[in-house]
Amino acid sequence: MCSVFSQEISKDSVTEYYVRFEGDSILRSSIELDEVFIFSKLEFANRQEKLRYYILRRKTLKVYPYAKLAAERLVELNDSLDKIKRKRHRKRYTKKVQKYIEGEFAEELKKLTRTEGQILIKLIYRQTGKTAFALVKELRSGWRAFWYNTTAKAFKISIKEEFHPEYIHEDYLIEDILQRAFASEKLVRQKSVLDYDYALLSNKWKKETKTQKK
């Protein structure tokens, strides 16, 4: 709830209106609003395309919380490491955090399917700006990162996978799913570190889809 105060400016005879929120003594000439997306109705060329989208949505909604948690833990780790000066202490703390993170993720990640695992890898890049391979390499040795990648390949999962909704259609669909889920509060929004505009992406892919249908 807010009260409205108006003040007339004599120099140009224009009446300006100010807003004061209840409990706030500051008068404001404008109100900051959250960014709002107007989503177009989902349209599919055929039943197979529709089924593919909804399967992708189910998997994306399932793994996104893990990517969000991974990003939060990475920020916490980096913030803590900045305060630790001695290399030996930094190394010891990193190992402690690694075990903690593995304890959080290990059992749940074992339950993921191959495609869910690959979507998670993409979302980790979306949230951190780094591939899972790069993160493992930073926290562990380069050899361990190589080994992780080789093992992942055995299950047809690349931990070097990135997220590019600007030119990979499936990545755009994942972004579309996330934005709709954020708007409906099915997921808690965590801003991506990547630099792209969802509205521009939507227009781009709509145009490309129409061109392909002609």
Side-chain angles (χ1 to χ4, degrees), residues 67-81:
K68 179 176 177 293
L69 183 60
E72 290 169 353
R73 294 292 179 264
L74 182 65
V75 170
E76 291 171 6
L77 173 61
N78 288 334
D79 287 346
S80 297
L81 288 178

Side-chain angles (χ1 to χ4, degrees), residues 66 69-70 72-74 76-77 80 91-109 139-140:
Y66 297 121
L69 183 60
E72 290 169 353
R73 294 292 179 264
L74 182 65
E76 291 171 6
L77 173 61
S80 297
K91 191 173 181 181
R92 184 187 304 164
Y93 180 77
T94 300
K95 285 185 177 180
K96 183 178 179 181
V97 172
Q98 286 170 9
K99 289 182 180 180
Y100 174 66
I101 292 175
E102 286 171 2
E104 280 187 305
F105 283 94
E107 290 305 313
E108 289 301 321
L109 296 187
L139 298 177
R140 298 173 180 267

Side-chain angles (χ1 to χ4, degrees), residues 3-207:
S3 56
V4 179
F5 171 83
S6 64
Q7 177 182 358
E8 186 175 338
I9 300 176
S10 57
K11 65 179 180 179
D12 56 7
S13 299
V14 174
T15 300
E16 290 190 359
Y17 293 92
Y18 291 86
V19 176
R20 181 174 59 221
F21 289 95
E22 188 176 12
D24 190 353
S25 60
I26 300 175
L27 296 174
R28 306 175 190 276
S29 60
S30 62
I31 303 174
E32 289 188 10
L33 300 176
D34 293 333
E35 187 176 37
V36 176
F37 294 120
I38 299 177
F39 300 98
S40 59
K41 182 180 178 182
L42 290 172
E43 296 180 357
F44 306 99
N46 50 55
R47 185 177 181 279
Q48 185 177 3
E49 188 179 284
K50 180 178 180 179
L51 182 61
R52 173 174 167 255
Y53 179 87
Y54 282 104
I55 290 175
L56 185 64
R57 185 175 73 170
R58 176 173 56 80
K59 294 177 182 295
T60 299
L61 296 182
K62 178 179 178 179
V63 302
Y64 171 79
Y66 297 121
K68 179 176 177 293
L69 183 60
E72 290 169 353
R73 294 292 179 264
L74 182 65
V75 170
E76 291 171 6
L77 173 61
N78 288 334
D79 287 346
S80 297
L81 288 178
D82 286 341
K83 300 173 185 176
I84 302 174
K85 302 304 179 184
R86 291 189 178 183
K87 187 176 180 180
R88 178 165 54 88
H89 292 170
R90 287 165 63 91
K91 191 173 181 181
R92 184 187 304 164
Y93 180 77
T94 300
K95 285 185 177 180
K96 183 178 179 181
V97 172
Q98 286 170 9
K99 289 182 180 180
Y100 174 66
I101 292 175
E102 286 171 2
E104 280 187 305
F105 283 94
E107 290 305 313
E108 289 301 321
L109 296 187
K110 287 178 183 177
K111 300 174 185 177
L112 298 182
T113 65
R114 182 185 66 80
T115 52
E116 288 169 349
Q118 197 64 79
I119 293 170
L120 174 60
I121 296 298
K122 288 187 175 188
L123 291 182
I124 285 176
Y125 186 84
R126 180 188 186 274
Q127 300 311 121
T128 66
K130 297 180 181 181
T131 64
F133 180 88
L135 292 175
V136 172
K137 192 173 182 179
E138 284 181 13
L139 298 177
R140 298 173 180 267
S141 68
W143 167 250
R144 182 63 66 90
F146 169 78
W147 181 253
Y148 270 45
N149 192 55
T150 303
T151 304
K153 279 184 177 178
F155 296 96
K156 297 182 179 179
I157 296 176
S158 170
I159 63 172
K160 292 182 179 181
E161 194 81 19
E162 298 182 358
F163 184 72
H164 295 288
E166 64 273 24
Y167 57 80
I168 299 176
H169 188 242
E170 182 175 275
D171 289 2
Y172 163 70
L173 292 179
I174 291 173
E175 184 64 29
D176 180 73
I177 289 165
L178 290 177
Q179 293 299 335
R180 291 173 187 269
F182 295 151
S184 63
E185 298 185 345
K186 288 182 179 178
L187 292 177
V188 177
R189 184 186 296 274
Q190 183 188 65
K191 186 175 175 58
S192 170
V193 300
L194 305 182
D195 184 23
Y196 55 81
D197 187 305
Y198 170 70
L200 293 178
L201 287 177
S202 296
N203 291 332
K204 172 187 181 296
W205 286 108
K206 281 179 185 177
K207 289 178 182 178

